[in-house]
Amino acid sequence: MSIKNEIKAKIIETDWTIKDVAAELGKRYNINYSPENLSNKLRRQTIQYQEVKEIADIIGYELKWVKK
């Protein structure tokens, strides 16, 4: 599964929308963070790790590194 699909699936599973997540990211970063901007970053796979961590936190997840 691609990063884009994985993140979008988790957002949907938790009853959030891209629009709501983008709005919350905008509040946290104190910038205008549009849903289009978030979708483009996911599509192009240019999203920053810190943004992924913030998205996980927003939707109620915690990212962990687990040794294989």
Side-chain angles (χ1 to χ4, degrees):
M1 179 180 286
S2 72
I3 291 171
K4 169 190 164 187
N5 291 338
E6 189 174 344
I7 293 172
K8 280 189 167 187
K10 292 298 179 190
I11 289 171
I12 292 167
E13 284 175 16
T14 55
D15 294 326
W16 281 79
T17 64
I18 294 287
K19 182 179 178 180
D20 294 335
V21 171
E24 185 62 29
L25 283 169
K27 288 179 192 174
R28 290 184 182 204
Y29 286 120
N30 199 27
I31 60 170
N32 184 11
Y33 204 108
S34 71
E36 294 80 14
N37 184 22
L38 178 55
S39 290
N40 287 338
K41 285 183 176 190
L42 290 172
R43 183 178 43 79
R44 292 189 308 256
Q45 296 188 24
T46 58
I47 193 162
Q48 295 179 11
Y49 182 65
Q50 182 61 38
E51 291 171 307
V52 174
K53 286 174 47 177
E54 289 287 340
I55 290 169
D57 184 59
I58 289 167
I59 64 174
Y61 279 83
E62 179 180 335
L63 298 180
K64 291 186 179 184
W65 290 74
V66 180
K67 184 150 177 84
K68 290 184 185 182

